Amino acid sequence: MDFQLTEAQRLFAEAVRRFAHDRLAAGALKRAHQPRFPFDVAKLAADQGLLGITLPEADGGQGGSLLDAVIAIEQVALVCPRSADVIQAGNFGPIRTLAEYANPAQKARFLPDLLSGRAVISLGMSESEAGSAVTELKTTARRDGDEVVIDGSKVFSTHSSDASLFLVYVRFGPGVDGIGSVLVERERPGFTIGKPSAFMSDEEWCQLYFQDCRIPAANVLLGAGGFKKQIAGFNVERIGNAARSLALGRHAFNLAREHAAGRRQFGRTLSEFQGLQWKFADMAMKLDAAQLLLYRAAANADDKGLPSAYETATAKAFCNQTGFEVANEAVQIMGALGYSRESLAEYCMRRTRGWMIAGGSIEMMKNRIAEHIFDRRFDQRPGPSKTDEN
Ligand SMILES: Cc1cc2nc3c(=O)[nH]c(=O)nc-3n(C[C@H](O)[C@H](O)[C@H](O)COP(=O)(O)OP(=O)(O)OC[C@H]3O[C@@H](n4cnc5c(N)ncnc54)[C@H](O)[C@@H]3O)c2cc1C
């Protein structure tokens, strides 16, 4: 067992760190308070080869590993937390599911704009009545000749104010086996994007409405029976979510450490108070433990770069908890300055809070972990469950 990055990974991390310091550090605070997708950063990241890190070179990617993508998102987040969303969108989010399951014609149509930073893709998965219970989604897709007709609506889609393409989970028929996904361009007739709302993080999301929305059948990504594949792709999104949670926790930790080393009260630096030293020790232990779980999940990804459900769940739940707890403590240690928008600590706290819910909540991840522990499926729905009877 080797707990070190390889020489190539270390050099890559250094190169990304240098890029982030040179190109992203200056605007980091301002960027954190701008709700719209930072396309300027996306173009810089594309030029630096930081979009499509895990995609094959034949598809316009860099041919790297999931761990390479994790290293990139961490290094960017440690300098500019908001810019890490660009690395997420260009490597871990719906772009990854698209790239995994798209046919050559779909890749040729959609990937170039996404990988050049000119466009961003948004995920339409959650519905008002289908959150954690995502398989209860009601948005339908019906084949009509060469077209597919979509009806329904979606909530909470990240980047929906700015996305030109949406990966939408739809129902072609009843039950889990009826679920698949389609690619919908922003300008499609019958597709309306509602007024922006804001999360606690200030990020915008819009409700998506599909009313007799017709798309070419060529825009079907995965037909009925595609749900398991979608979730396999979504596990990559969860790794990016976990990596940002951890990196923003570490970002806030670094701010608090610097503050505690310099700030004096009662004639001593804050770092000299044991009450605060022990906070730092607890934070460091959690960050290190979370880091190992994250790297394990990424390093053990299969030959397609897809991580296992169990290792993803443990990494995501623990990184989500750790990121928020550490950022929250960092705010406390920094006092009013930490709570103020003059510092990125409060931003890290607000962002990490959201990832405890997004992408499969901590509770849903723990349900998955429990299934692994007991080696059986626990149906969350009321009533006798087929698997419980076994
Ligand atoms: C920052 C952010 C970004 C998001 N981005 C997107 C996006 O881009 N696209 C998209 O489609 N959606 C997005 N979402 C929505 C997200 O996927 C849902 O919020 C999430 O699936 C939870 O659903 P819900 O909010 O409806 O909560 P609910 O499912 O109603 O759950 C409420 C609470 O009950 C708990 N709970 C529910 N079921 C169980 C259970 N069986 N066992 C134990 N506890 C349970 C949950 O953990 C949660 O704490 C985003 C959400 C956030 C916060």
Side-chain angles (χ1 to χ4, degrees), residues 130-364:
S132 301
V134 65
T135 53
E136 283 166 22
L137 66 89
K138 291 195 174 68
T139 298
T140 54
R142 151 178 82 78
R143 190 75 186 242
D144 185 16
D146 288 345
E147 293 182 322
V148 169
V149 187
I150 306 164
D151 282 285
S153 87
K154 297 286 174 180
V155 288
F156 302 136
S157 295
T158 300
H159 305 316
S160 41
S161 290
D162 297 297
S164 46
L165 185 65
F166 294 76
L167 172 59
V168 184
Y169 283 29
V170 289
R171 174 171 296 296
F172 290 96
V176 177
D177 292 342
I179 296 174
S181 50
V182 292
L183 297 161
V184 185
E185 289 131 312
R186 191 179 186 93
E187 307 304 335
R188 275 285 150 199
F191 176 27
T192 315
I193 298 176
K195 277 206 316 262
S197 299
F199 286 123
M200 178 196 276
S201 57
D202 289 342
E203 287 170 287
E204 287 183 357
W205 64 272
C206 310
Q207 188 152 358
L208 313 180
Y209 303 93
F210 303 92
Q211 201 173 15
D212 199 28
C213 171
R214 288 175 176 269
I215 57 167
N219 280 27
V220 173
L221 181 67
L222 286 163
F227 184 71
K228 267 199 169 161
K229 286 183 173 172
Q230 282 162 207
I231 292 299
F234 194 56
N235 278 332
V236 177
E237 172 141 15
R238 289 174 168 153
I239 293 293
N241 169 315
R244 281 179 300 162
S245 289
L246 178 58
L248 265 65
R250 205 180 280 287
H251 189 111
F253 174 89
N254 291 342
L255 292 174
R257 185 187 53 194
E258 200 179 317
H259 182 79
R263 164 93 170 154
R264 297 181 78 84
Q265 289 292 285
F266 301 100
R268 316 165 77 175
T269 64
L270 295 182
S271 66
E272 289 172 56
F273 297 117
Q274 191 182 53
L276 297 189
Q277 289 169 4
W278 285 8
K279 278 187 194 290
F280 277 105
D282 284 338
M283 291 153 84
M285 287 190 293
K286 286 180 191 169
L287 289 170
D288 279 359
Q291 189 80 68
L292 292 175
L293 287 175
L294 175 65
Y295 281 181
R296 179 182 72 168
N300 284 345
D302 67 14
D303 53 4
K304 291 177 172 169
L306 302 177
S308 88
Y310 170 70
E311 291 185 355
T312 300
T314 51
K316 182 178 185 294
F318 201 76
C319 287
N320 287 163
Q321 267 172 216
T322 296
F324 176 71
E325 285 168 10
V326 170
N328 194 31
E329 281 290 48
V331 167
Q332 186 69 16
I333 290 165
M334 293 175 71
L337 178 63
Y339 191 61
S340 149
R341 294 208 172 195
E342 303 310 310
S343 156
L344 279 168
E346 65 83 35
Y347 174 75
C348 291
M349 188 189 87
R350 287 184 287 121
R351 286 305 302 277
T352 50
R353 187 66 189 84
W355 291 319
M356 297 165 86
I357 299 167
S361 66
I362 287 181
E363 292 78 11
M364 294 307 289

